[in-house]
Structures are given as C-alpha cells and as structure tokens.
Amino acid sequence: FGSSSKSWSAPAGKSQLGQLDSSMPAARLNAALGAWVRKCRLQNSYDAAVAKRLGLRSVSDCGKRASFILDLQQHDCHAFSDLGQNFVHCGILATAIAGCTTLTASLNDPEERTSVTTDLSVSYMSSARVGQVIRIDTNVLGLGGKLAFMEAHVKHDETDRMIAVGRHTMMFVGESGKATDFVNFPSTFDV
C-alpha cells in the first residue's frame, strides 16, 4: 500500500496529483471524491466531517489501489480520553475507511453502480492524535458481479506506523452509471 510522505497541504477534497487526463483512474477517483464531498455538504451528512478534509494522494494498479490523506482535528477526539491526550475517536477512523473503500470500489465497478455496506470490520492497533496526518491506503481484494471486497490500512503518514486495518464488503445496487451521479437538492441546514 502507498508510500509515506512528510507533508500534506492540499485543501479538502483536492488532489496532490496535479492536472489529470479525465480518462485516467486517478482523475475519475478525484472527481468522485469531489462529488462525494459536495453531496455530504448538501445533505449535512454524518460523513461530512471526514469527507470535507479528505484528500487523494495517489492511485496505482489501474485504480485498484488508492491512498488518501486526512488531517486530524480537535472535533475528531474521543470525549473519554484523558485531558491532553486527544485520542481520535474510532468512529472517525471507521468512517474514513468506509468512505475511502467505497470510492475505490465505485471506481472499479465496470457498471458504475452505487453500493451498500454488507460488512465492515476494523481492527485497531495503535492510536492517533489531533494534529497528526493519517493515510488511508485502500486495496481491491475482489470484485464480482454483485459484491466488492475491500481492505484499508490506516497509518501515520509521517512514521508509517499502522493504526488500523479495515475490511469492507459492499453489495452493488441500483442502475448502471449512477455511482457518482449525485442529485443536487436543497438542504434545510446552513452548511
């Protein structure tokens, strides 16, 4: 999975990849990430806290592997951690895993269908703290006509130390070509 880098400065939902050919897997994944960020903000969805700060670092193996970056902030903290520790809540990591693996699976579905989670498991090995940058490396383990099997490794971007490993199984549903066809609708929230 991905490689470590010492810095990250791209704005939320943006890529470090520069100008991309729209037919390339990286350009398609970056466009899907941008659409997901917009949808999350319009819906004021649970995912918005993670989506708006997520950036695409790299795409390889014809789109079957992707690496995302997320900077950890105070509102990501677990309320029960000791004062001064500022440990990131496991739900933030699980949300990042689910979002990143869903985006990578959508890129790899030849019919471009939306998907729903059938199973998500996360094993936590270490902690992460506010102010750190984490990297979420996704990998397609298997892709069939109905299911996608994904894996994600969450690591400290600077040290490459493993924080968590997630496995995500998704079932493809819906019409072909609709995976990133997000409908704009008015929100009742000021986002």
Side-chain angles (χ1 to χ4, degrees):
F1 292 141
S3 61
S4 179
S5 177
K6 300 286 183 192
S7 65
W8 169 249
S9 60
K14 300 294 181 189
S15 169
Q16 277 190 321
L17 305 172
Q19 292 290 353
L20 301 169
D21 178 345
S22 63
S23 65
M24 295 172 51
R28 290 180 43 229
L29 186 56
N30 198 48
L33 174 59
W36 181 50
V37 169
R38 286 188 300 281
K39 181 179 181 183
C40 287
R41 286 184 171 178
L42 282 171
Q43 290 180 334
N44 196 28
S45 74
Y46 174 80
D47 295 9
V50 170
K52 67 184 177 183
R53 293 181 286 128
L54 200 61
L56 179 61
R57 161 80 52 85
S58 64
V59 177
S60 61
D61 197 13
C62 297
K64 297 204 181 321
R65 294 177 186 261
S67 190
F68 300 84
I69 297 296
L70 178 67
D71 64 311
L72 300 176
Q73 298 178 356
Q74 184 62 44
H75 60 271
D76 298 331
C77 282
H78 196 294
F80 296 112
S81 63
D82 291 334
L83 291 175
Q85 294 295 320
N86 296 324
F87 292 119
V88 171
H89 194 284
C90 62
I92 293 294
L93 299 176
T95 300
I97 289 169
C100 294
T101 53
T102 298
L103 286 167
T104 307
S106 295
L107 171 71
N108 285 280
D109 177 27
E111 294 183 47
E112 297 182 9
R113 298 164 288 177
T114 57
S115 62
V116 295
T117 298
T118 60
D119 183 56
L120 177 66
S121 65
V122 182
S123 296
Y124 301 93
M125 293 138 198
S126 181
S127 60
R129 293 190 175 144
V130 171
Q132 294 177 331
V133 176
I134 60 171
R135 187 177 73 246
I136 304 98
D137 297 325
T138 62
N139 182 33
V140 176
L141 298 177
L143 191 68
K146 299 256 185 217
L147 296 174
F149 302 93
M150 304 295 296
E151 183 176 58
H153 290 181
V154 180
K155 298 179 179 182
H156 287 276
D157 191 44
E158 189 173 317
T159 66
D160 215 34
R161 185 176 55 149
M162 187 73 73
I163 300 168
V165 174
R167 295 265 176 139
H168 191 186
T169 305
M170 290 161 282
M171 179 173 55
F172 293 115
V173 296
E175 299 175 43
S176 293
K178 299 292 184 179
T180 59
D181 185 17
F182 301 122
V183 177
N184 291 332
F185 58 92
S187 174
T188 57
F189 300 98
D190 182 21
V191 291

